[in-house]
Amino acid sequence: MKIGILALQGAVREHRNILTRLGAETVDVLYATDLVGIDGLVLPGGESTTTGKLLERNNLLAPIAELGRAGLPIFGTCTGMILLSKHIIGSDQQRLGLMDTYVERNAFGRQLASFEAEMPIPVLGEKPFPCVFIRAPYIEKADANVTPHLYADNKILFAEQGNLLAAAFHPELTDDARVHRYFLQKIG
Ligand code: GLN
């Protein structure tokens, strides 16, 4: 199984390490030619307006959006969650616009810019997941075709819609591989 990792910015190496540990082959995605033959795509964290501009500059925005609409499994963490969303509250920044979600950026306020919390995510098993948040977004609301896997204070922090998976947190910054395994299992 070959997984592309968008390599414009963010924790590319950490995603690569976990995916490799799970037995997947990975390829860094910088240009549209890198998308050929991949079975899934990971969108790491970073800064979503910058990543959006870089996606546009490298002519990746339309090709990735098209693959996503055609069913390519895509997993976005943090900035990746923002880019996957159709609606970014108060922003007209570039995006892939694939998920029927309304995302609020930097949603936890200054005090809570970065924090870690063990959170129960039943779809990953009984043991709570160590969720690392870094200036994280949340999903304020979502249409009925979106399956929320983790709620906190009525906000969605981990969600799935068909071939798309989005986390407000950074599972690549922990040793716990269950989120990535879940993504690979979606692919089959
Ligand atoms: N705050 C960033 C943004 O709005 C996301 C942060 C992250 O990816 N860790 O794009």
Side-chain angles (χ1 to χ4, degrees):
M1 192 183 310
K2 189 161 135 189
I3 308 297
I5 305 172
L6 185 69
L8 300 172
Q9 59 166 192
V12 178
R13 189 186 37 190
E14 288 79 356
H15 278 292
R16 191 190 298 127
N17 288 346
I18 292 204
L19 291 167
T20 308
R21 230 172 77 200
L22 293 174
E25 186 192 335
T26 67
V27 59
D28 287 0
V29 172
L30 281 162
Y31 301 101
T33 47
D34 303 321
L35 298 167
V36 176
I38 59 170
D39 303 301
L41 178 66
V42 171
L43 310 172
E47 207 284 322
S48 59
T49 51
T50 307
T51 308
K53 284 179 195 156
L54 294 173
L55 278 168
E56 180 78 16
R57 192 196 66 184
N58 287 17
N59 295 315
L60 277 168
L61 207 55
I64 293 177
E66 213 165 286
L67 287 170
R69 279 191 294 270
L72 179 77
I74 304 179
F75 169 37
T77 57
C78 206
T79 273
M81 169 191 261
I82 297 167
L83 292 169
L84 281 174
S85 188
K86 283 189 187 165
H87 313 278
I88 305 173
I89 296 166
S91 172
D92 61 0
Q93 67 192 86
Q94 276 136 328
R95 69 203 69 178
L96 298 164
L98 296 167
M99 287 183 82
D100 295 303
T101 47
Y102 293 75
V103 163
E104 178 86 42
R105 292 178 57 195
N106 303 318
F108 292 89
R110 212 165 285 173
Q111 243 106 55
L112 279 177
S114 298
F115 63 102
E116 191 174 336
E118 300 269 337
M119 295 190 164
I121 305 181
V123 79
L124 301 178
E126 237 170 75
K127 202 174 131 226
F129 193 88
C131 298
V132 178
F133 297 88
I134 304 171
R135 296 185 60 75
Y138 56 57
I139 297 173
E140 173 70 42
K141 60 175 181 161
D143 292 354
N145 50 351
V146 175
T147 306
H149 289 306
L150 171 62
Y151 268 109
D153 291 336
N154 265 329
K155 315 297 183 193
I156 302 166
L157 303 177
F158 185 42
E160 183 170 0
Q161 178 181 347
N163 54 312
L164 310 168
L165 185 67
F169 52 92
H170 289 269
E172 78 282 8
L173 299 183
T174 69
D175 285 335
D176 197 320
R178 283 181 290 161
V179 173
H180 289 79
R181 188 176 295 124
Y182 186 75
F183 178 57
L184 294 183
Q185 276 163 357
K186 268 175 82 65
I187 302 172

